[in-house]
Structure formats: C-alpha cells, structure tokens
Amino acid sequence: MRPVSAWGRLDAASHDVVSLHDPAKIACQITSKPRGIAHGNGRSYGDVCLNPDGVLWHTTGLNHFISFDQSSGRLVCEAGVLLREIQRLVIPLGWILPVTPGTQLVTVGGAIANDVHGKNHHVLGSFGDHVQRIRLLRTVGQTIECGPQDNADWFAATVGGLGLTGIIVEAEIQLCRVAGPWLATDTVPYANLGEFFQLADESEADWQHTVSWLDCLDARGRGLFMRGNPTDVCNRPDPQSRKRTMPIIPPVSLVNPLSLRAFNMAYFHLKKWRAGQAIAHYESFFYPLDNILEWNRIYGPKGFYQYQCVVPRDVGQDATRAMLGEIARCSEGSFLAVLKTFGERQPVGMLSFPRPGVTLALDFPQKGLRTQMLFDRLDGIVREAGGRIYAAKDARMPRSLFEAGYPRLSEFMKYRDSGISSGLSRRLMGS
Amino acid sequence: MSNTNRIVIIGATSAMAEHCARLWVQGKSVDLTLVGRDTQRVERVAADLRVRSPQSEIGVTTSDFLDPTAIRNTVDEIAARGVIHTVLIAHGSLPEQDDCQDNLEVCRDALEINGVSPVLFAEAFAKHMSQNNSGTLALIGSVAGDRGRKSNYVYGAAKGMVTRYAQGLQHRFANTGIKVILIRPGPTATPMTTHLVGKGPRMASAEDVARKIVEAIDRGQTNVYVPRKWAVIMLIIRHLPNSIFNKMDI
C-alpha cells in the first residue's frame, strides 16, 4: 500500500498499486484482486482515478504502439500510451490526433474514459468521436471488442464511462491529416461576456480552434479570445522546449487574492498589448502548461479543486455572468480561467461531459468550508441552468447534481463492471 | 543496409533496453536485432518499434538465456548476418532477497540470469568483435554490485560479477577498436521494481536512464553511473568502514 494523490493533490489516500505492463497477464491480474480502478498518468484532478484503500491498476506500462497505417491514418495502440507520444510520432508524418485536451500528458485510456474535449469541439467533437475500436477487458475475464458499429452499446458506455465498464487495454484511433506542427493564431481582447459570445459566434465558422482566457476577478468577464487554424508554414525551426519544474511545495498556496489580482492584471494587459496574429507551434498553443512540470504544487500542501461545468447556450451568458459574479465576490479563482463554447453535437458516450453550450473551467485553492460554500453557490447556478459538472475534474459535486446533469446514468449502470470501483463511483453512484 | 548502424539488444523486453531502442530508432534508420526469451513479448516490442520507425529493420530472435550452446548459436547466427556495431546486454530479474535465502533454486536462478547469462552473451559477442577489431559492447550492471548489502546481496553478487567481468574485458580490449561499456543504474522505475516504489530512494525513470545509456554508448564512456549522483553515493558506500556500514539498514 502506498499513498497516491490525483492532480489536484487534495489528499493522498493509501492504495494497493498494481502495475499492468504485460497485456498477456492483465486478465489474471485484475481477476485475482479486490475491486480496483485503472489509473493512467494521474492527470484527472479529483477522485475519478483514485480508489482509497483499494487497488489501483497502473496502466502507463501499456505504452506500446501496435500498428499505424500511414495511408489511412489508423493508429492502434495500447491504452497507456501518452497522447504526447502519438503527437510526436504522427505530426511529422502528416497526421494529428483530431482531439486533445489542454495537456498531452494523458493516456489514451484516460482520454477515452473521460471522453476529453479540446479547443475544436465545435468542429470535431470529443476524443470518443474518433475512436474506432476499444478492447475492453472485464474483471470476470471476458474481452469485449467494441466500436461505433460493433457492440455500440458497450462503446457508448465505455467512452466517457469513467473507467467503470472494464479495463481499456487497446484502442484504434482515426487520425486527421495535418500539414505540419504550426498554427496561424489570432488573439483578440474582449471587455465583457457579450463581446466574448459575439467573438465565439463569429469565429466558429472560420476557426478550428477557439478558447478564451478569462480574468476571473473581473465580474464583467473581460478576457482574451484565442483562435487558431492549422497552417502549412513549414520553414521554421522547431522551438526549443524549456522544461521547468515547480521545485517545492510551498507551505501555503501561492494563489491568493493579491497574487491573483496582480497576475490577471499583468497577463491581460501584456497579452492585449501583443494581441493579433501570429504563428504558434502546436505544443505551445495546445499545451501551454506541459513544460512546467508539477505546476499543481503551486497551490500548496492543501491542494486545489478544478471546477468545470457546461451550461446550455441559451442561458449560457446569464449563468456565466452569475458564476463570475460569485467568484469575483469571494476574490477566489485561478490564473488560468477558461471559457469556451461547445458545438451543436450530441456526445458519443452515455456519460460524456461535452454537450452543446458554454463551458467554464477554473482552479480554486482548497480553503475548506469557504471553498465549499462557493461551490454550493456555483452548483445552484449550474443546476438551474440545466448544466453539468465534468467528472474528470470533480472531487466534490453532490450526487443529486450528478444525477440531474447526466440523464443517461441509469442506462449506463447496466454496463458497470462489478469488480471496478473508484472514489468517485462510490461518492456519486453508491458503489 | 551495409551503412546502417547495426545494433543487437539482449533482453529487449527489459524496460531500459526498450527505451534505448526507442531512442535509437528516433528519426533514424537502424538495423536492430531484438533478442528475448518469450516470442510474444519480444514481438510486442518489435511492433512498437516498427510503428515508430518504419524505415528501420527490426528483427526478432529468441533464445535460451541459460544454455551456453544456445547462446553461442544465437550470437553466431546474428554475427553471420553482418558486422555488428553495438551490442547492449540488458536482461535481468530482481529476486526477493528473502526468497533467495529460503530457496537455493531461486538463489541459483538469480545468480545465473543476472550474472552468468550476461557474461556468456558478452563472451560470445566478444569473439566476433575481436575478429573484426570493432564494435561497442555495453553491459548493464547495477549499483547493487558495488558492495554487498543485506537487502539484496544475491542480486548484488551477480551484478558484481558483471562488474568484475566488464573490467577484465575492458582490460583485454584496451588499445583495440573495441569498446566495453559498463553502466550501473541506480534504482529505476521499471516493471521489475514496481513493488519497491515508495520504499526507498526516489527512482529514476526508465526513459531517463535509457537516455544516459545511449549517450554513454555514443560518447564511448566506459564506466557510467546513472543517474550520476550514484557515482558519489556508491563511492561513499564502498569506502564506509564496516563499523559504520554494519549499523546501516540498507
């Protein structure tokens, strides 16, 4: 048994860690143990990837490519392969992962289990939209091959299924053509939420990637709208990646009202000053934090929560304004607050997070009751708006809000693997 | 293929060896022969490398790692296919010290797979390299081989044998075209050490260790500790007087 914490570092509960590194042995490893949960690279923020006092099946040893057809862009790999490995392999060959989240340090299995989304949801949907086949191993020893056509019910349960339908051991992904590693980008400052929504509406037709940084202390909702398109610029040298590590865990969170105000002010004005068009490398555009190793330490020993919700578009502006008002009133929040619109697409998975609407994501240092009270007020706004909270980032939402936000939950429950349980499943599903 | 770098890896399914192979094929075309004990496991490694480097030649061979005749035949067959530039001997297994004390068969197996087998492979390759007067032979030892400690002295004894053997081979091939490289990794996070995570010093990642191994081979450094801090730690441990050493629980 050893302590393991998730990316939010809220606590480090004791786990019996079992490494799954040989596909031939997995069936025997997962059937001979008490209930466990698959744990990839541990980038989920809360308890979706934890199983306090239980078994964790570490999957990062399942890190092999199996085949890649360069003419069709079909990639088959084991579930523990990091998205970064895929991107670095296929981009020079003219292919790219269609959808990736804001970090590429997640495993393929984790990306499927949380049906992650990226900046191009309005064009290409979520990760699960591009998965052609999953090999799922159940703890009873049964193997299920499923895809959008074959065993489609199992596929819909497993994509976004929070790792609760079985162990994802292998997947086949359809990649997209890309000219090279560069993007033509444009940064536009906006003064309030009305301008944000106008920019989002205008940009969706012409820009593949859109996202915005938001000054979470500004109740009007000023921010910077960033958009990008792949470009065939090719005569640029690859940027030198400079890796930095947050060397220590500071005794208290470095994110406090004072530092937050100073940072947000400086960031907004510096970026505003340098706004406009540019050419950016895909790694710095998509994954700005990946070169700052262990940045999650900056919130100090108590860790932090990330709150990400999505609310329908028609009430999106009012709900977002209300949430920002609550956050600004508490002077809480984070350096990185993200606001983005999702496209009009129905998600693949029964428990997939993305749905048409607008999504807001913010980090909050753990400050006990004060933070919980803020979350309660935000939950109220999300509930009233008919929205939902992202399980991959959650560590505290009430069960009733989960049930209200995910109407296909009872349908999903039929596909659960009885040998699998996580902190999140016990909290939100009772077992 | 004649100008392509020809590399042979013994124990290709070991995590360190596999990461070395991934670095060797990165952006280059190489001729790689992977030698292992279990066809299915070596083929898995080979398939991955073929995806990473379709232009490389990735061959797979299996052998009995404890039978001198099988080892000789395997190495002769590989050598018959052309001049070998680099050999990495990387296999091993980490037994529980208590099991070695309780069961002499476990003890013997640990000594054979970690000590005798790498020496036999190295000797078989040395014969071909001396005929060509060229090549680099890299052996993975361990910091555990520097001084016997109660927590893993059977494994340490086998690795100590590899250390002493490599020294002799370095002496034999001094002033020739052949380089013998001994790499001594500290505790490294691999499937072999999963059960030790959190119980001792923070482990290096197999990727980082592999990077250092590949660099050492490129530079022709003969004795390498990875990570480098282990050179200092082991210098101290080797020279600690027994009066102090015997009080330590290591």
Side-chain angles (χ1 to χ4, degrees):
Chain A
M1 300 291 277
R2 66 180 161 97
V4 179
S5 58
W7 190 244
R9 305 185 67 257
L10 289 164
D11 46 28
S14 186
H15 290 81
D16 178 8
V17 179
V18 176
S19 170
L20 307 183
H21 50 82
D22 184 346
K25 291 186 185 156
I26 299 176
C28 158
Q29 285 178 291
I30 62 172
T31 45
S32 64
K33 285 276 180 183
R35 301 206 301 173
I37 185 80
H39 180 101
N41 207 33
R43 262 9 185 223
S44 298
Y45 287 74
D47 53 359
V48 70
C49 65
L50 297 179
N51 186 17
D53 303 318
V55 175
L56 272 194
W57 294 305
H58 250 271
T59 63
T60 47
L62 299 173
N63 59 1
H64 293 73
F65 291 114
I66 295 166
S67 66
F68 177 47
D69 182 340
Q70 283 201 44
S71 57
S72 67
R74 284 283 175 106
L75 175 80
V76 184
C77 66
E78 293 172 359
V81 170
L82 294 184
L83 302 191
R84 182 172 67 184
E85 289 275 291
I86 298 177
Q87 296 289 58
R88 290 187 174 174
L89 172 75
V90 301
I91 290 176
L93 301 172
W95 294 96
I96 192 167
L97 278 167
V99 171
T100 60
T103 169
Q104 53 181 345
L105 300 173
V106 300
T107 62
V108 166
I112 294 171
N114 294 293
D115 195 14
V116 296
H117 58 272
K119 298 175 173 61
N120 57 350
H121 182 269
H122 57 286
V123 185
L124 291 175
S126 57
F127 197 88
D129 281 297
H130 308 278
V131 176
Q132 299 301 317
R133 186 179 57 82
I134 295 169
R135 176 172 293 166
L136 187 70
L137 197 53
R138 306 267 290 173
T139 58
V140 286
Q142 176 195 17
T143 301
I144 297 176
E145 302 273 347
C146 60
Q149 269 83 45
D150 308 316
N151 289 321
D153 54 339
W154 280 100
F155 184 71
T158 302
V159 170
L162 312 173
L164 299 172
T165 61
I167 306 280
I168 300 169
V169 288
E170 189 182 307
E172 182 173 341
I173 306 163
Q174 176 63 54
L175 306 179
C176 277
R177 282 273 183 208
V178 74
W182 301 96
L183 293 126
T185 67
D186 187 28
T187 304
V188 188
Y190 59 87
N192 56 53
L193 283 180
E195 284 185 27
F196 162 80
F197 280 96
Q198 200 179 343
L199 273 165
D201 288 340
E202 283 168 16
S203 303
E204 281 183 7
D206 297 329
W207 297 86
Q208 281 193 20
H209 304 280
T210 65
V211 70
S212 94
W213 171 84
L214 188 75
D215 181 346
C216 62
L217 298 183
D218 182 276
R220 289 162 304 170
R222 73 171 175 187
L224 300 154
F225 195 92
M226 288 164 263
R227 46 196 187 183
N229 273 330
T231 168
D232 56 5
V233 166
C234 57
N235 53 354
R236 284 177 175 243
D238 275 352
Q240 297 288 316
S241 74
R242 277 180 303 171
K243 283 205 164 50
R244 297 210 167 97
T245 304
M246 176 68 195
I248 51 151
I249 303 162
V252 292
S253 170
L254 299 182
V255 182
N256 54 54
L258 194 67
S259 68
L260 197 57
R261 195 161 291 282
F263 174 89
N264 280 11
M265 184 80 79
Y267 187 80
F268 180 76
H269 287 290
L270 271 175
K271 284 275 184 179
K272 189 178 171 187
W273 182 53
R274 298 178 61 182
Q277 297 186 346
I279 299 287
H281 190 261
Y282 80 94
E283 287 201 341
S284 62
F285 183 75
F286 291 143
Y287 323 113
L289 288 178
D290 278 0
N291 278 334
I292 308 169
L293 304 175
E294 305 196 71
W295 63 259
N296 53 343
R297 290 174 162 188
I298 117 171
Y299 292 95
K302 290 184 183 162
F304 70 106
Y305 292 95
Q306 181 160 109
Y307 192 93
Q308 181 166 4
C309 61
V310 55
V311 291
R313 191 73 168 260
D314 53 347
V315 292
Q317 193 162 332
D318 291 339
T320 308
R321 181 172 296 116
M323 285 191 277
L324 289 178
E326 291 291 350
I327 294 161
R329 214 150 56 88
C330 303
S331 293
E332 289 292 341
S334 60
F335 300 149
L336 209 75
V338 175
L339 189 60
K340 167 161 179 61
T341 48
F342 283 145
E344 293 292 321
R345 310 176 58 110
Q346 286 313 307
V348 184
M350 295 174 188
L351 297 187
S352 289
F353 168 69
R355 52 156 291 171
V358 53
T359 178
L360 173 70
L362 283 143
D363 295 339
F364 294 95
Q366 146 81 309
K367 288 183 184 167
L369 192 60
R370 194 173 144 185
T371 318
Q372 298 308 326
M373 283 165 62
L374 172 63
F375 288 152
D376 287 345
R377 294 197 293 276
L378 298 180
D379 286 351
I381 298 167
V382 173
R383 194 190 299 263
E384 198 177 325
R388 61 189 177 211
I389 287 172
Y390 194 5
K393 301 190 171 173
D394 180 57
R396 40 65 50 195
M397 78 166 119
R399 192 167 168 178
S400 61
L401 183 56
F402 181 62
E403 287 167 354
Y406 291 88
R408 294 181 74 183
L409 179 61
S410 57
E411 189 187 348
F412 167 81
M413 292 300 277
K414 288 180 273 190
Y415 298 92
R416 272 200 65 179
D417 186 321
S418 59
I420 294 181
S421 177
S422 65
L424 179 134
S425 78
R426 291 195 286 278
R427 182 165 57 84
L428 297 176
M429 301 175 195
S431 66
Chain B
M1 263 320 187
S2 58
N3 292 328
T4 311
N5 197 9
R6 186 147 188 259
I7 302 169
V8 181
I9 302 179
I10 308 295
T13 58
S14 101
M16 279 181 212
E18 192 179 354
H19 283 289
C20 288
R22 288 180 181 180
L23 291 168
W24 274 320
V25 301
Q26 205 171 63
K28 305 186 279 287
S29 164
V30 293
D31 180 335
L32 202 55
T33 304
L34 308 177
V35 185
R37 283 170 273 187
D38 177 329
T39 313
Q40 204 183 346
R41 290 183 61 211
V42 196
E43 284 292 355
R44 173 175 173 237
V45 174
D48 173 75
L49 294 168
R50 287 181 193 122
V51 171
R52 288 170 194 271
S53 179
Q55 69 277 24
S56 288
E57 189 79 28
I58 315 283
V60 165
T61 303
T62 50
S63 178
D64 184 330
F65 275 29
L66 295 177
D67 174 8
T69 312
I71 291 171
R72 173 69 73 196
N73 291 341
T74 302
V75 172
D76 285 352
E77 273 169 35
I78 295 168
R81 281 183 249 138
V83 175
I84 301 163
H85 299 99
T86 304
V87 174
L88 174 66
I89 297 177
H91 59 285
S93 76
L94 186 62
E96 290 286 348
Q97 174 63 29
D98 291 347
D99 294 345
C100 294
Q101 287 164 213
D102 291 343
N103 184 333
L104 291 187
E105 281 183 21
V106 175
C107 185
R108 179 202 56 201
D109 291 350
L111 291 169
E112 286 187 344
I113 199 66
N114 291 303
V116 176
S117 173
V119 166
L120 295 182
F121 269 109
E123 204 53 39
F125 279 110
K127 181 182 165 200
H128 292 282
M129 287 185 169
S130 69
Q131 282 164 3
N132 296 321
N133 192 31
S134 76
T136 297
L137 184 54
L139 289 130
I140 297 188
S142 168
V143 294
D146 278 18
R147 185 168 187 176
R149 288 173 293 114
K150 63 181 171 187
S151 60
N152 69 348
Y153 61 81
V154 172
Y155 175 77
K159 288 293 190 181
M161 176 179 181
V162 173
T163 300
R164 205 61 78 232
Y165 169 80
Q167 282 175 351
L169 206 60
Q170 283 168 347
H171 194 207
R172 173 180 159 196
F173 288 133
N175 310 314
T176 71
I178 300 160
K179 282 219 152 59
V180 178
I181 292 176
L182 175 66
I183 296 128
R184 275 173 274 198
T188 304
T190 66
M192 192 168 98
T193 57
T194 334
H195 60 291
L196 300 176
V197 173
K199 291 183 185 163
R202 190 175 172 154
M203 298 204 197
S205 78
E207 291 96 317
D208 289 345
V209 169
R211 197 164 291 118
K212 296 288 185 321
I213 293 172
V214 168
E215 276 172 22
I217 291 173
D218 280 350
R219 291 200 201 121
Q221 283 171 284
T222 46
N223 280 290
V224 188
Y225 285 89
V226 280
R228 220 180 301 170
K229 66 178 180 190
W230 284 97
V232 180
I233 297 170
M234 294 320 294
L235 182 77
I236 296 166
I237 290 194
R238 277 200 310 274
H239 291 93
L240 275 179
N242 277 339
S243 55
I244 298 173
F245 184 72
N246 289 342
K247 287 182 187 139
M248 296 171 75
D249 190 21
I250 55 173

